[in-house]
Amino acid sequence: MALGIAILSDPSLGGEIPEVVPESRVSANDKGVVVLIRHAQDVETLNGDFAWAEASVIVRHWPSAPAIDPDRSVIFEGSISTPTRQLWIGDADHEVVMTGLTESSTLRVLSAKEDSPSADRVWVDVWDA
């Protein structure tokens, strides 16, 4: 199974994110977080070709730490630097920038319980550190 990645970092610090550790669902440092997700070509068809799979990264900004949904597992929680008060979320194909943060943000990455190492959906809760 091929693994895709989603990157979460301040736009000014993207070059300082951690190297991907394939054995870990999340690789992180104080500059960014890399989450393993389902790779886009992870769905093989009957004739041996690949169909495009999709992974969703749902990012929610909270005023303070939210309760953890009992149907989800926390796979990472930690603080990262967000000096431009923005969070870049992206992969090889798509990106979005969240604004309105403080200069340090706490991220909690969750997946569905019993999910595979390359989840097709992860949730990221963000709040002021």
Side-chain angles (χ1 to χ4, degrees), residues 44-49:
E44 192 169 346
T45 63
L46 292 176
N47 63 4
D49 292 332

Side-chain angles (χ1 to χ4, degrees), residues 85-99:
R85 299 178 182 210
Q86 301 175 81
L87 181 65
W88 183 89
I89 304 113
D91 63 8
D93 296 318
H94 303 286
E95 64 183 62
V96 65
V97 176
M98 175 182 280
T99 60

